Amino acid sequence: MTTTSPRRAGMMMLAAAAASVSTMAIAQQNGMQDPNIIVEGEVVPDTSAMTKGPEVKGIITARKGDKMKITADDGTSTVVFFNDATTVKASTGLFGSKKLTTQNLLNGLPVTVKTMQAGEALLASQITFRNGDFKTAKMIRNGTAQGFAEQTAATAALKGRMGDIDKYNIKATTNVYFDTGKYALTPQAKAELCQAASMAGGTENALMLVVGYTDSVGDEEYNQTLSEKRAASVINYLQQQCRWAPYRMLTPAGMAESDPAADNSTPEGKAQNRRVAVNVLVSKAIDGF
């Protein structure tokens, strides 16, 4: 039997305590490597314990570090993390795409995100968007481009006062409706769009956000394309016929059959869902709150 003197036992306890303090110091120095460190109230996902998560669609309204906020048309926001393994792709045409990086994720860009989930935390496995939307978001961010050449000064002035999209107040919404499978504007829709543009023009610094939708008829890919065509029809008419300035138009979005306005199980409900929402926005900083 081995015995230890009180003095030797005390020295051993001090050594153990010193080792513990040293280990804690190393852990603190390496804190950025620890996926469980809480930063600003959020926990970076532990990828080893993740399962397939929901698909998130919306517009990037904020981005910081390794996470971004995606805001849906109904105003709900979802925070999604991304890392070096996240695939970023831009659609360049029929069945074509090109691989990009997370540096291309700009505020105002409509995206579709496939996620992995651990608890409430979501990690993006794939992020896709249209190349045309990326070009528009880049133009808005830079405040100058060929399409805005005549409005460079006005664009720059607005850009300096614009925050993320979730920092806007919705002042008015006009819905225009479409026949099944169609994206052509009806005479009534054309009249309503110019009326909305005229009213919005009386609000200083007002911007427009156009979002297209479909009913539940058709597959997801078809409805996504149809909703984008409907949004494009509205934007073209607003700019070409109603004389709404391009620099006062935020990046449009096609949301397919998401966020239905009514029950898709009835003909009346489907008719209400075949729509484009034209939202008139004013920055909260300008609007006073």
Side-chain angles (χ1 to χ4, degrees):
M1 178 175 177
T2 302
T3 60
T4 303
S5 68
R7 177 181 176 82
R8 180 175 176 79
M11 293 178 65
M12 291 174 64
M13 291 176 64
L14 287 173
S20 176
V21 170
S22 177
T23 301
M24 291 173 63
I26 293 173
Q28 290 173 355
Q29 292 172 3
N30 295 334
M32 296 302 293
Q33 306 296 325
D34 186 346
N36 295 317
I37 294 295
I38 297 177
V39 180
E40 297 182 356
E42 296 174 349
V43 181
V44 180
D46 178 5
T47 56
S48 65
M50 305 198 87
T51 57
K52 185 177 180 180
E55 184 175 83
V56 180
K57 292 184 178 182
I59 295 176
I60 299 175
T61 55
R63 175 183 165 173
K64 183 176 182 181
D66 60 353
K67 56 183 176 290
M68 60 184 174
K69 180 188 291 184
I70 300 173
T71 301
D73 181 59
D74 62 0
T76 58
S77 296
T78 304
V79 174
V80 179
F81 290 87
F82 52 84
N83 58 21
D84 292 339
T86 300
T87 301
V88 181
K89 292 183 178 181
S91 172
T92 56
L94 187 62
F95 306 117
S97 65
K98 62 181 179 181
K99 189 173 182 180
L100 300 172
T101 70
T102 54
Q103 296 301 314
N104 299 107
L105 302 176
L106 304 178
N107 284 355
L109 182 63
V111 293
T112 299
V113 184
K114 294 182 178 179
T115 68
M116 300 295 290
Q117 186 170 17
E120 296 184 357
L122 298 176
L123 175 68
S125 58
Q126 178 177 285
I127 302 172
T128 57
F129 50 83
R130 296 192 312 166
N131 193 50
D133 286 340
F134 173 71
K135 290 181 179 179
T136 302
K138 190 173 182 180
M139 284 194 296
I140 293 173
R141 177 178 178 176
N142 292 340
T144 178
Q146 182 178 358
F148 299 152
E150 297 179 359
Q151 300 290 349
T152 300
T155 300
L158 277 177
K159 176 177 174 286
R161 289 174 288 175
M162 285 167 51
D164 297 328
I165 199 167
D166 59 347
K167 295 181 180 178
Y168 290 92
N169 287 327
I170 299 178
K171 307 301 288 185
T173 299
T174 298
N175 289 308
V176 295
Y177 300 94
F178 297 81
D179 293 332
T180 302
K182 306 295 184 182
Y183 55 91
L185 293 168
T186 64
Q188 180 180 350
K190 292 177 180 179
E192 290 174 350
L193 287 175
C194 283
Q195 182 180 6
S198 178
M199 293 180 63
T203 302
E204 186 177 3
N205 298 312
L207 305 173
M208 280 189 179
L209 173 64
V210 174
V211 186
Y213 298 93
T214 69
D215 58 25
S216 58
V217 177
D219 61 31
E220 182 178 354
E221 183 176 353
Y222 173 83
N223 283 336
Q224 179 61 38
T225 301
L226 180 58
S227 66
E228 292 169 358
K229 288 181 177 179
R230 286 174 174 170
S233 293
V234 167
I235 288 173
N236 289 339
Y237 196 83
L238 283 168
Q239 294 179 353
Q240 296 170 10
Q241 303 299 323
C242 306
R243 305 302 180 188
W244 186 260
Y247 74 92
R248 298 180 72 180
M249 186 77 71
L250 295 178
T251 306
M255 299 296 287
E257 61 188 80
S258 63
D259 189 27
D263 189 349
N264 268 309
S265 65
T266 67
E268 295 78 13
K270 290 178 180 177
Q272 293 183 57
N273 293 331
R274 297 191 298 268
R275 73 197 191 281
V276 167
V278 179
N279 302 287
V280 178
L281 310 177
V282 175
S283 170
K284 291 180 180 178
I286 298 173
D287 208 24
F289 63 94

